[in-house]
């Protein structure tokens, strides 16, 4: 199967992590995250204002309660009217506060949801722009884990935790100020516990972040494994490896679970400690405050007020330490997201890209050599032991030089691992040559914008990837602006129209995971229609090896002939008819072109081509 379209099944650990996000300080990281709130400035401002008002109203409650105590409970002299008024004032205050609570929660949730949606969109768009090589070194499950699980952690922090943070900070500061106003001596006593709490929070925060990162990494690893098995379900079933896969997943989830438990134990111990410290402080305040009331230095109402503010402080400190841990986790998660956002494509973009307007389709390889990165370094099947090794990397293509004229059809043949797929993957710049250059109409491919270059190249792989959606949408993938008539015309030329209209919903038939399953030959014809619609100047074709029945084979062959007409074609040939019709055949072996010519000439020459012909083509393909 062609390797230029599929991910490598071996995924070595990420080789090139961005140095930038790894070295970003927490503050810089936060600033970067905060920059995502910019489009939601209004909601954020309104939300923070609502939080402030709501907190101020909460802070007013102990003042009212003090009055209540000093007027009724202590002196027993107040009138029923003023009692009613106090209670009414309280209820009124709570009502107004409810309004502001709604506003703050809703506004800040808008910010959080917006930020995370934007972050996900930015990340996905960025991922789509990364090179093929990047996706060969990362597991898909790991990346989706960043998009889902890490983004969800950030979401929690930005939506609920941010509102909480502002609320609790406002309550804490307000309460401390009012405590000082109420009684200086008691306040100093109560605040003695604060340094203990702060120190504990710092120690605990760092540890917690490390545990959380380990947890998220383990979840990502488990996801990646599960994804591989789910995608390759047929292989799993064919090898009855269900139990093996289930155990692998259980083992990975088990590790994540144990780390999660460790995190829970840490959190639980810390909260218990903080609560103990805060309640002890309240005990001391009661003891000292009681003595002050007896000595007449403090009214009972003022003591109650003091206690209420102390409770606010305790509550705020408890909540803030929880939030601190949540923010630490979110920082870890956003770091991993930014790390992906900082990945750069390894294909350098030209400063001023050459425009690609009218392409003739002359392709030239000039001294092209290529090796996959060292991280991929599995020795090639066709590589001799001495032939590899420029810095330990296997050289897959060696010093290739040839010119393919516009409209010429070149068939590539060679033993497995000879480098055929690699050669054609250099044309749409899935990779750049390690040495030498490839030109299109005389200009180095690297001088063009990647996307405009690829717009000129059509790709028909062995295995056609259809996306969930209708047949029409799948064909239109080749040119999203194409009209329905154009889609149909392409399908007709690709011999696909008849089978499409035989479906009950015709072109609107849903294909893919939840829809109609197409046969191998039908899929190929959809792929051909897609390529026809795109109308590229250059065509890269990897013929399917799986044999189709004679009728289907003939339909695909006809469609391919229509597709190839007038284009420069590189075809990895598996059919006898293709090599017979090709203008030239390149015979590849160990990354070199060892023979070149037409079928007849090469056959007469003998050597590798004749050998391959007798072994592969004559036996496998029924001559037509
Ligand atoms: P086949 O006919 O079996 O598809 P091929 O002639 O197309 O083979 P290539 O797929 O180009 O051969 O592979 C050439 C060599 O490059 C092989 O040794 C292979 O192991 C190696 N190779 C191919 N793709 C990659 C990759 N993505 N990363 C690392 N090495 C690769």
């Amino acid at each position: 199967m062609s390797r230029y379209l599929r991910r490598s099944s071996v995924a070595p650990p990420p080789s090139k992590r961005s140095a930038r996000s790894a070295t970003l300080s927490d503050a810089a990281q936060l600033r970067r995250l905060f920059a995502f709130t910019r489009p939601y400035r209004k909601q954020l401002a309104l939300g923070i204002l609502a939080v402030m008002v709501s907190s101020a109203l909460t802070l007013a409650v102990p003042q009212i309660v003090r009055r209540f105590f000093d007027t009724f409970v202590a002196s027993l002299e107040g009138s029923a009217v003023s009692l009613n008024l106090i209670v009414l004032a309280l209820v009124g205050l709570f009502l107004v506060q409810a309004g502001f609570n709604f506003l703050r929660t809703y506004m800040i949730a808008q910010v959080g949801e917006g930020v995370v949606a934007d972050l996900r969109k930015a990340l996905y768009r960025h991922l789509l722009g990364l090179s093929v090589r990047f996706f060969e070194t990362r597991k898909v499950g790991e990346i989706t884990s960043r998009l889902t699980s890490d983004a969800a952690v950030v979401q929690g922090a930005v939506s609920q935790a941010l509102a909480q943070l502002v609320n609790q900070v406002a309550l804490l500061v307000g309460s401390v100020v009012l405590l000082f106003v109420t009684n200086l001596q008691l306040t100093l006593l109560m605040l003695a516990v604060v340094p203990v709490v702060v120190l504990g929070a710092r120690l605990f925060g760092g540890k917690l972040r490390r545990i959380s990162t380990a947890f998220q990494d383990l979840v990502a690893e488990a996801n990646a494994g599960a994804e591989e098995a789910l995608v390759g379900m047929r292989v799993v079933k064919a090898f009855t490896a269900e139990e093996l896969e289930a155990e692998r997943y259980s083992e990975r989830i088990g590790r994540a679970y144990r780390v999660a438990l460790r995190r829970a134990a840490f959190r639980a111990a810390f909260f218990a400690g903080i609560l103990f410290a805060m309640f002890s402080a309240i005990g001391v305040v009661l003891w000292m405050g009681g003595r002050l009331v007896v000595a007449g230095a403090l009214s009972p109402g003022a003591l109650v007020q003091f206690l209420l503010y102390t409770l606010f402080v305790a509550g705020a400190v408890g909540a803030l330490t929880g939030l601190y841990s949540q923010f630490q986790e979110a920082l870890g998660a956003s770091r991993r997201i930014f790390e992906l956002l900082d990945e750069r494509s390894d294909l350098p973009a030209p400063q001023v890209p050459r425009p690609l307007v009218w392409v003739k389709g002359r392709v030239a390889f000039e001294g092209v050599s290529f090796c996959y990165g060292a991280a991929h370094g599995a020795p090639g099947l066709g590589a001799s032991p001495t032939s590899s090794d420029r810095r330990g990397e296997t050289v897959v293509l060696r010093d290739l030089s040839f010119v393919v004229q516009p409209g010429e059809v070149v068939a590539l043949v060679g033993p497995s691992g000879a480098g055929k797929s690699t050669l054609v993957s250099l044309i749409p710049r899935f990779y750049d040559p390690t040495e030498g250059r490839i030109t299109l109409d005389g200009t180095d491919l690297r001088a063009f914008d990647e996307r405009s270059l690829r717009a000129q190249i059509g790709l028909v792989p062995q295995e056609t990837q259809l996306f969930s959606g209708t047949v029409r949408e799948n064909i239109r993938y080749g040119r999203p602006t194409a009209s329905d008539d154009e889609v149909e015309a392409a399908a007709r030329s690709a011999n696909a129209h008849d089978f499409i209209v035989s479906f009950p919903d015709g072109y609107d038939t849903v294909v893919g995971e939840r829809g109609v399953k197409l046969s191998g030959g039908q899929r190929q014809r959809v792929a051909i229609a897609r390529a026809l619609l795109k109308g590229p100047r250059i065509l890269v074709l990897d013929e399917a090896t799986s044999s189709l029945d004679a009728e289907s084979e003939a339909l695909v062959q006809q469609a391919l002939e229509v597709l190839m007409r007038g284009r420069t074609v590189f075809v990895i040939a598996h059919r006898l008819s293709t090599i017979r019709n090709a203008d030239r055949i390149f015979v590849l072996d160990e990354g070199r072109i060892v023979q070149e010519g037409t079928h007849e000439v090469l056959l007469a020459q003998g050597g590798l081509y004749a050998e391959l012909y007798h072994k592969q083509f004559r036996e496998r393909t029924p001559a037509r």
Side-chain angles (χ1 to χ4, degrees), residues 320-585:
L320 284 174
T321 47
L323 289 176
Y324 181 69
S325 66
Q326 203 173 339
F327 280 113
Q328 290 291 328
E329 285 170 32
L331 267 182
S334 61
R335 188 180 291 277
R336 284 186 295 275
I337 292 174
F338 289 141
E339 198 177 274
L340 280 187
L341 274 175
D342 288 339
E343 285 285 350
R344 291 282 158 253
S345 170
D346 52 90
L347 301 177
Q351 297 250 309
V352 187
R354 270 298 166 87
L356 260 173
V357 192
W358 171 240
V359 174
K360 290 203 205 85
R362 179 180 181 275
V363 177
F365 275 51
E366 299 173 12
V368 169
S369 295
F370 178 77
C371 46
Y372 290 97
H376 309 254
L381 290 175
S384 62
T386 50
S387 64
S388 55
D389 307 329
R390 284 171 359 120
R391 285 168 283 129
E393 298 168 13
T394 309
V395 182
V396 177
L397 298 178
R398 293 151 209 284
D399 198 18
L400 297 183
S401 293
F402 58 81
V403 178
V404 178
Q405 297 300 341
E408 198 180 358
V409 175
V410 167
L412 302 171
V413 299
S416 181
K420 304 177 294 286
S421 306
T422 306
L423 188 156
V424 296
S425 69
L426 300 187
I427 300 167
R429 272 193 85 197
F430 287 155
Y431 310 95
D432 278 338
T434 318
E435 273 166 35
R437 63 176 203 152
I438 303 170
T439 61
L440 172 60
D441 294 349
T443 305
D444 194 324
L445 295 186
R446 285 170 285 211
F448 302 118
D449 169 61
E450 247 176 78
R451 288 168 52 82
S452 59
L453 170 71
R454 288 182 194 143
Q456 303 292 337
I457 300 171
L459 211 61
V460 181
Q462 274 187 5
E463 294 280 334
T464 305
Q465 172 98 44
L466 294 184
F467 296 101
S468 303
T470 62
V471 177
R472 194 193 312 280
E473 284 163 355
N474 266 287
I475 297 178
R476 201 174 264 151
Y477 209 70
R479 179 152 55 91
T481 52
S483 68
D484 285 357
D485 287 345
E486 287 172 314
V487 169
E488 201 179 307
R492 277 184 197 279
S493 306
N495 279 340
H497 178 76
D498 289 347
F499 83 78
I500 295 173
V501 292
S502 74
F503 294 140
D505 293 328
Y507 281 85
D508 294 319
T509 305
V510 174
V511 291
E513 275 173 25
R514 298 226 178 87
V516 171
K517 306 280 178 289
L518 300 187
S519 74
Q522 290 171 335
R523 294 161 77 92
Q524 283 177 28
R525 281 177 278 157
V526 168
I528 293 169
R530 199 188 255 177
L532 272 170
L533 195 61
K534 185 173 176 184
R537 292 298 310 139
I538 298 163
L539 195 66
V540 171
L541 200 67
D542 194 352
E543 283 185 337
T545 42
S546 56
S547 53
L548 303 172
D549 63 60
E551 193 193 335
S552 190
E553 169 90 32
L555 288 170
V556 169
Q557 191 59 39
Q558 267 178 11
L560 281 175
E561 276 159 23
V562 173
L563 179 62
M564 294 204 267
R565 221 169 280 154
R567 307 181 203 277
T568 310
V569 182
F570 291 83
V571 49
I572 300 178
H574 298 291
R575 292 192 181 96
L576 184 63
S577 52
T578 310
I579 51 172
R580 280 208 171 131
N581 295 337
D583 297 315
R584 254 191 306 168
I585 299 163

Side-chain angles (χ1 to χ4, degrees), residues 102-130:
F102 168 81
L103 198 64
R104 76 156 194 203
T105 312
Y106 186 52
M107 285 298 136
I108 302 234
Q110 275 190 21
V111 179
E113 302 291 345
V115 164
V116 174
D118 291 348
L119 203 57
R120 283 193 170 130
K121 284 187 272 183
L123 183 58
Y124 188 58
R125 185 171 285 277
H126 180 75
L127 286 170
L128 289 176
L130 291 177

Side-chain angles (χ1 to χ4, degrees), residues 194-215:
V194 169
V196 181
V197 173
V198 171
L199 196 73
R202 274 202 79 80
L203 289 177
F204 156 85
K207 180 81 185 163
L208 191 80
R209 181 176 350 169
R210 279 191 295 281
I211 299 180
S212 282
T213 301
F215 173 74

